Amino acid sequence: RHMCFHPNGKWVYGINELDNTVDVYEFGTKDGVLSRSVQKISTLPDGYNNRDHGNAKNAAGGPASGPNRPEQTSAAADIRITPDGRFL
């Protein structure tokens, strides 16, 4: 949904809010063509279990559902890269 270019112009990063991942694409600087994803990176910590919602509660204290679940409200919705291209 959101994308940004690496400072060298050869890579494009796209963030996927629904599955908490970042896709990396090659960008053809001569032809302006975006490749298929060459890498998919999870934004979640190793071992994270998105199905473990047993203790999640909504504002009324009942079982949480949908976007009220804490694990689902931490999805990234923006993406940035440092000017030197070292950190995403």
Side-chain angles (χ1 to χ4, degrees), residues 71-88:
E71 293 83 357
Q72 294 174 347
T73 59
S74 61
D78 196 8
I79 188 166
R80 305 218 188 263
I81 191 164
T82 58
D84 63 7
R86 292 186 60 208
F87 299 100
L88 185 63

Side-chain angles (χ1 to χ4, degrees), residues 28-44:
T29 55
K30 291 184 181 178
D31 57 14
V33 174
L34 193 65
S35 73
R36 288 186 170 174
S37 175
V38 295
Q39 185 178 15
K40 185 177 285 269
I41 305 163
S42 176
T43 61
L44 300 173

Side-chain angles (χ1 to χ4, degrees), residues 8-50:
N8 70 15
K10 296 179 182 178
W11 305 100
V12 177
Y13 302 93
I15 191 133
N16 307 301
E17 295 174 60
L18 297 179
D19 68 355
N20 298 297
T21 60
V22 172
D23 278 308
V24 181
Y25 304 91
E26 284 184 279
F27 184 72
T29 55
K30 291 184 181 178
D31 57 14
V33 174
L34 193 65
S35 73
R36 288 186 170 174
S37 175
V38 295
Q39 185 178 15
K40 185 177 285 269
I41 305 163
S42 176
T43 61
L44 300 173
D46 289 339
Y48 177 80
N49 178 359
N50 194 32

